[in-house]
Amino acid sequence: MTTTAVSRHDRSGPGTKRRQDRPGAKRTTRRSGRLRHISLPYLLLLPALLLELLVHLVPMLMGIVMSFKELTQFYLSNWSAAPWAGLDNFRIAVDFDAPIGEALLKSFLTTCLFTVCSVGLCWLIGTAAAVFLQEKFRGRGLLRTLFLVPYALPVYAAVITWVFMFQRDNGLVNHVLHDQLGIGDNPAFWLVGDNAFWALLTVSVWKGWPFAFLTLMAGLQNIPRDMYEAAALDGAGVWKQIRHITLPSLRPVNQVLVLVLFLWTFNDFNTPFVLFGKAAPESADLISLHIYQSSFQTWNFGTGSAMSVLLLLFLLVVTGVYLLVTSRGKKAKARA
Amino acid sequence: MRRFRAAVTGAITLSLALAVSACGGGSATGGGGDGSPKTLTYWASNQGANIEVDKKVLQPELDKFEKQTGIKVKLEVVPWSDLLNRILTATSSGQGPDVLNIGNTWSASLQASGALLPWDEKNFDSIGGKDRFVESALGSTGVQGQDPAAVPLYSMAYALYYNKKLFAEAGIAKPPTTWDELVAAGKKLTAKGKNGVGVEGSNLSNNIHQVFVLGKQHGADFFTPDGKPDFTSDGAVAAVKQYVDLMAQHEIVAPGNAEYAQNQSLSDFSKGKTGMVLWQTASATFKAQGMKDEDWGVAPAPVQSGKPGPGTATNSMVAGINMGVFKNTDNRDGALEFVKFMTSDAEQKILNKAYGSIPPVKSAQSDPAFGAPAVAVLRDTLATSAAALPQVPEESQFETVVGTAVKELFADAAAGRAVTEQSVREKLEKAQQQMPKK
C-alpha cells in the first residue's frame, strides 16, 4: 500500500518535473536540487496546511484560552476582555461532589457505556454483513446498496424520522412492540426517561454499522481466495476459516475501524441533539450535548470550554494508548 | 531555480489568498452591515404557523418600507428553536443582522452581553417616544433602571382555551376560573375518555412560563430582589409541584404530554382529543390546523381563588416579542428608521392582526379588531394581571435549568414514579447549583 503510493507520487509529482528539467538541472548545483526536491511537495501542501490551521487549530486554541477565562454573558460580545479564571473552570468541572461536576462525571460514564455498546454492535453487525455478502448470490448488489442507505442519508433527516417512530402515542416503535406484539402493560416512553438510552443506542448503531460494513468489505477483498481454498482442502469449516483467516487478515483494518468508530461515537453530537433537543434525558446525556448545554444553555462558556479541553485530553490519551498497544502487538507478531 | 521560485511564490500567494478569503467568509453570510445605507438585514422570529406564513405576512410590509425610504430589508425568519443560539453566535462573532426580534424574556440576558443598542431617550424619541408603549410590555425590555435593550413589537398573554363541544358533552357549564375548578373539569373530561388539559412537558420555555405564573400565585419569584437565584423557596416548590401534579396526582394530563415540545398539545386540542390548553395567542394555530373559530372558547387563565389581578392573583406572564438593533450595525439610522416603521400605528395593526397578538403600542390597541372577545381576554390579562419574568441577566439560564427540572419531573410522573415535595425540591436544588456563580 505504502510503496504504491510513493511510486505513484514520484511518477506524477516532482519526479516528472525533474525529468523535464534535466538540461536546466545540470546547471544548478546538487545541493539546491536536493532542496528543491525536498521542499516542493511541502510548499504545495502549504495552502492546505494553512486552511487546516484556520479551520481546526485556531478554534481549538481559542477554546483552550476560553477555558481559562471567566466567560459569561457579560463578556460575550468582547470575550477577550473576560477576566482570567486560572484553573477555576477546571476545578468546577471536576468537582464531583458539586452538581456540575457530578453531572459531568455521570454524563462521561454514560458516554463510555454507550460508546462500548455502540461500537461493539456496529462492528459485530458490520463484520457479519461483510462476511455474508462475500459469497456471490442473486441480489447481492441490491443488498450491498441497501445496507449503505443509513450511511448515505443526511443525519438530520434520518434522525428526525426516528423521532417520529419513537413517539410514545403515535410512533411506529410502540405500535409494533405494544399494539402488535403486546409487550408491556403501557406503551413505553423512548424519548424521555430511562429508555432514552436504548433509543439513542438503536439510532447510533443503525447509523454507524454501514461504515463498518463498507470498510470491512473492502478489507475482505484483499484476502486472497486461494487461502480459503487451501484451508478448505485441509478440512477447515466456515467457522475455522473465519477465525484463522478472515479475522487475522482483517486485523489492520479493524484497528483503524474501531478507533474511528470510537472517536465518532464518543463525540457524537448530532444524534442526541436531533433526538432529544437541547436537554437530553439523564439516561442518555452524552458528553458532547452535555458540554453544549453547559456552554450555550447556561451561558457558562468558560466551564464549557474547560470540559471540552478535558474531553480532548481524554480522547488523546485513549487514542495514544490504543495506537501504542496495537503497534506493539504488530511488532511482537512480526518478531514471532 | 526560477521555476522553483515561481512555485514558492505561487504557493505562498495561493495560501494567503485562501487564508484571507476564509477569514472574510463570515461577512458574506452574516450580512452584519455591509456598509450600505440602502440595505438592512432583519432576523424575524417565527410567529406564524410556519416560516412560509411569516414570509407572506412580512414581505409586503418590507416592500412598503422600501418604497417609503428606499432601504431594502433582507428578511430571514428564524425558527424559535434556533433563535437564541443564532443571536449568541452573532454576538460573539460580531457578524449579525442589523435588526432582530428577540423573545422578550431574554431582554436582560442579552442586555448584559452588550451587543444590543441601548434605547436611551434619544433613540426612543426617534421612534415617537417611550410613552407610546404599554407599561407592562416595557417592563420586559431589560433590567429596571437601565436603558431598555429592545422595543416591544408584539405582546401576548396566556389564557385558557377550551373546546366548547367537549365541555358540553362532559356537562361542564362554564370555563373554570380557579385551579380546583380546572382539576374538576379535567376529571369530568377524562371520565369521558378525553384528555383534561394539554401541556408541553419537554418544552423548557413553556414550562418556565407556567411555573413562573404559579410561583407568583404562591408568592415566589425565583429570584431574590437583588437578583440571586432563589429556586427552592416553599412557594417555588409548591408552584412546580402544583403544575406537575396535573399529570402526577390528578391525572388530567395524558402521560404522553411529557415528551411534547413541538406544540403537539395544540394539535391534540385541534383534533378534539384534549379539552383545555393554557396558551398564548393560539387562535392562528387552531385555524391553521383546521379548527373552526366557533368550536373553541377562551377565558382568563385560572388563579388559586378569586379574580385575576396583580400579585398572588397573577395569571399570566408578559409574553411577547421585542425588536432590537445590533450595536455594531453600519446602518444605525436605517435600523432606527425600520424600527420606527414596524412600531408605527399602521404597521402595528396590520402585523398584530396577522399574528393574533396584541399591539404593545397604546394607540394601535383601539382598533376594533383587538376588541373581539378572544383578543380582549388577552388584552385585559396583559393590562391587569400579567407579570414580567425576572429581569435579571441570568434569566436565560433560569429558563434552561428550571425548565429542565420540570421536564424531568414530568418524565418521572409519566413513568409512574412518585412526584413528592422532596423530589421537586431536590430537582430545584440541583438546578440552582447549576447557575453560574458570580
Side-chain angles (χ1 to χ4, degrees):
Chain A
M1 177 73 193
T2 337
T3 33
T4 26
V6 168
S7 65
R8 191 183 303 148
H9 183 72
D10 263 351
R11 233 177 291 138
S12 58
T16 334
K17 229 175 168 117
R18 196 168 41 185
R19 270 194 292 278
Q20 284 168 348
D21 283 356
R22 200 156 282 161
K26 269 180 198 159
R27 278 200 298 278
T28 55
T29 64
R30 265 183 101 133
R31 231 175 122 189
S32 80
R34 202 189 305 144
L35 181 76
R36 176 173 52 176
H37 178 64
I38 295 168
S39 41
L40 191 63
Y42 290 105
L43 272 170
L44 293 174
L45 281 175
L46 192 67
L49 198 73
L50 258 172
L51 269 186
E52 181 74 9
L53 264 173
L54 277 169
V55 173
H56 281 122
L57 279 180
V58 171
M60 201 172 86
L61 289 176
M62 278 164 76
I64 293 173
V65 173
M66 279 182 192
S67 69
F68 292 101
K69 290 202 158 217
E70 201 179 286
L71 197 56
T72 56
Q73 63 264 49
F74 298 100
Y75 301 99
L76 201 56
S77 58
N78 184 15
W79 66 267
S80 54
W84 290 98
L87 288 173
D88 278 359
N89 288 323
F90 290 91
R91 248 176 244 138
I92 293 171
V94 297
D95 181 1
F96 300 137
D97 291 330
I100 293 178
E102 191 196 328
L104 182 70
L105 180 67
K106 222 171 170 181
S107 156
F108 174 75
L109 295 176
T110 307
T111 313
C112 288
L113 178 69
F114 170 77
T115 308
V116 169
C117 293
S118 174
V119 172
L121 284 170
C122 283
W123 181 83
L124 213 64
I125 300 173
T127 310
V131 170
F132 174 65
L133 289 189
Q134 203 49 16
E135 299 302 324
K136 275 209 176 88
F137 57 89
R138 268 179 79 96
R140 184 172 76 148
L142 182 74
L143 271 184
R144 277 186 177 177
T145 319
L146 273 182
F147 283 179
L148 289 179
V149 166
Y151 188 58
L153 280 177
V155 179
Y156 186 84
V159 179
I160 205 84
T161 313
W162 279 102
V163 173
F164 292 130
M165 299 205 297
F166 278 126
Q167 298 277 316
R168 176 186 186 259
D169 293 334
N170 312 311
L172 182 72
V173 174
N174 276 347
H175 180 67
V176 173
L177 291 182
H178 180 259
D179 301 352
Q180 296 188 327
L181 301 176
I183 298 170
D185 296 338
N186 286 313
F189 279 100
W190 296 104
L191 298 173
V192 292
D194 294 340
N195 287 339
F197 182 84
W198 304 110
L200 184 62
L201 186 63
T202 309
V203 181
S204 173
V205 171
W206 176 84
K207 211 161 64 83
W209 78 266
F211 177 73
F213 164 68
L214 192 68
T215 319
L216 291 167
M217 203 164 63
L220 283 175
Q221 312 275 337
N222 282 337
I223 307 175
R225 299 301 305 163
D226 42 7
M227 280 173 78
Y228 289 102
E229 280 158 24
L233 276 179
D234 288 339
V238 175
W239 283 114
K240 276 203 165 159
Q241 288 180 18
I242 290 179
R243 232 189 101 199
H244 296 287
I245 303 174
T246 314
L247 288 179
S249 310
L250 285 179
R251 218 184 125 91
V253 177
N254 271 327
Q255 272 168 13
V256 177
L257 174 68
V258 168
L259 182 64
V260 167
L261 279 180
F262 163 77
L263 290 174
W264 284 352
T265 314
F266 209 95
N267 268 331
D268 193 6
F269 174 80
N270 292 333
T271 318
F273 184 73
V274 182
L275 214 49
F276 305 121
K278 285 167 188 164
E282 278 178 273
S283 67
D285 191 17
L286 291 195
I287 200 150
S288 290
L289 190 61
H290 186 83
I291 292 175
Y292 164 81
Q293 213 197 3
S294 305
S295 313
F296 283 87
Q297 298 290 295
T298 53
W299 299 31
N300 245 341
F301 297 94
T303 316
S305 303
M307 292 176 180
S308 305
V309 171
L310 291 173
L311 175 66
L312 177 73
L313 288 176
F314 168 76
L315 290 177
L316 277 178
V317 168
V318 171
T319 310
V321 170
Y322 177 85
L323 289 177
L324 212 69
V325 169
T326 49
S327 72
R328 199 174 278 165
K330 213 187 287 170
K331 270 181 209 148
K333 220 177 161 209
R335 270 200 301 276
Chain B
M1 198 61 205
R2 198 182 296 152
R3 269 169 203 272
F4 177 61
R5 209 173 281 158
V8 173
T9 324
I12 291 172
T13 317
L14 182 61
S15 45
L16 280 178
L18 283 172
V20 168
S21 64
C23 289
S27 60
T29 47
D34 36 20
S36 158
K38 289 293 167 204
T39 56
L40 285 173
T41 322
Y42 173 43
W43 283 359
S45 53
N46 176 203
Q47 298 298 126
N50 58 50
I51 287 173
E52 287 314 309
V53 170
D54 278 309
K55 284 185 185 161
K56 259 183 221 151
V57 170
L58 291 170
Q59 198 55 55
E61 307 312 309
L62 302 182
D63 293 343
K64 212 185 285 174
F65 177 68
E66 191 181 353
K67 215 175 228 175
Q68 283 175 16
T69 60
I71 302 173
K72 184 168 174 53
V73 181
K74 281 185 267 177
L75 170 70
E76 187 181 345
V77 183
V78 185
W80 260 112
S81 49
D82 295 347
L83 187 59
L84 189 57
N85 270 355
R86 293 279 300 273
I87 297 173
L88 289 182
T89 319
T91 301
S92 54
S93 67
Q95 303 285 341
D98 301 287
V99 186
L100 77 165
N101 286 5
I102 64 172
N104 67 354
T105 61
W106 309 331
S107 296
S109 293
L110 293 172
Q111 184 178 38
S113 78
L116 296 179
L117 184 76
W119 285 82
D120 54 18
E121 211 167 313
K122 193 173 132 263
N123 285 338
F124 257 119
D125 281 346
S126 72
I127 62 165
K130 205 173 185 173
D131 302 338
R132 292 182 66 238
F133 295 91
V134 176
E135 198 60 38
S136 64
L138 281 176
S140 210
T141 52
V143 177
Q144 299 297 314
Q146 291 183 24
D147 286 330
V151 176
L153 183 64
Y154 313 125
S155 283
M156 291 173 243
Y158 273 85
L160 177 76
Y161 292 85
Y162 61 96
N163 185 315
K164 286 182 184 166
K165 200 167 136 239
L166 295 188
F167 264 45
E169 281 170 7
I172 307 164
K174 61 180 186 55
T177 57
T178 66
W179 288 104
D180 288 343
E181 285 177 26
L182 180 127
V183 170
K187 289 197 165 153
K188 282 184 188 163
L189 287 161
T190 45
K192 288 272 174 191
K194 302 291 177 184
N195 304 327
V197 55
V199 306
E200 298 270 321
S202 287
N203 180 332
L204 309 189
S205 303
N206 188 271
N207 285 344
I208 284 301
H209 299 164
Q210 310 282 2
V211 300
F212 166 74
V213 171
L214 279 165
K216 280 276 177 196
Q217 295 183 3
H218 287 279
D221 250 338
F222 290 95
F223 281 90
T224 60
D226 58 344
K228 294 215 167 60
D230 182 19
F231 302 164
T232 52
S233 67
D234 291 344
V237 173
V240 172
K241 182 154 190 306
Q242 190 183 1
Y243 186 50
V244 180
D245 268 347
L246 294 177
M247 179 190 285
Q249 190 194 332
H250 306 302
E251 299 181 344
I252 57 170
V253 174
N257 289 22
E259 63 180 16
Y260 283 8
Q262 314 287 339
N263 301 357
Q264 292 99 321
S265 62
L266 294 188
S267 310
D268 285 356
F269 183 87
S270 305
K271 286 180 200 146
K273 286 188 192 169
T274 304
M276 298 177 274
V277 278
L278 286 156
W279 207 262
Q280 33 172 322
T281 51
S283 53
T285 313
F286 293 155
K287 192 176 260 175
Q289 300 199 348
M291 201 182 190
K292 285 193 212 84
D293 282 352
E294 59 268 24
D295 292 343
W296 51 270
V298 59
V303 290
Q304 306 294 349
S305 65
K307 275 196 165 119
T312 51
T314 296
N315 69 342
S316 172
M317 43 88 68
V318 177
I321 301 295
N322 291 345
M323 200 175 192
V325 173
F326 257 110
K327 210 192 251 169
N328 69 351
T329 171
D330 291 335
N331 188 2
R332 183 180 291 202
D333 293 342
L336 289 176
E337 191 80 27
F338 182 52
V339 177
K340 185 182 178 186
F341 172 79
M342 293 288 276
T343 53
S344 68
D345 286 8
E347 285 309 308
Q348 279 288 300
K349 285 178 195 168
I350 295 172
L351 294 170
N352 284 290
K353 256 185 236 173
Y355 291 132
S357 49
I358 314 285
V361 171
K362 288 178 200 160
S363 44
Q365 278 192 353
S366 56
D367 191 278
F370 305 110
V375 194
V377 169
L378 301 175
R379 197 185 58 190
D380 295 345
T381 300
L382 209 55
T384 57
S385 58
L389 276 159
Q391 296 294 303
V392 293
E394 293 81 10
E395 197 283 332
S396 170
Q397 290 98 315
F398 159 64
E399 280 192 30
T400 301
V401 294
V402 176
T404 304
V406 176
K407 173 181 170 172
E408 286 171 3
L409 287 164
F410 268 123
D412 283 349
R417 276 194 287 265
V419 173
T420 60
E421 206 189 304
Q422 173 83 6
S423 73
V424 171
R425 196 177 289 275
E426 274 166 17
K427 289 265 193 250
L428 288 175
E429 245 158 42
K430 198 184 94 185
Q432 176 150 336
Q433 284 164 327
Q434 284 177 309
M435 292 292 280
K437 304 269 181 301
K438 271 193 284 190

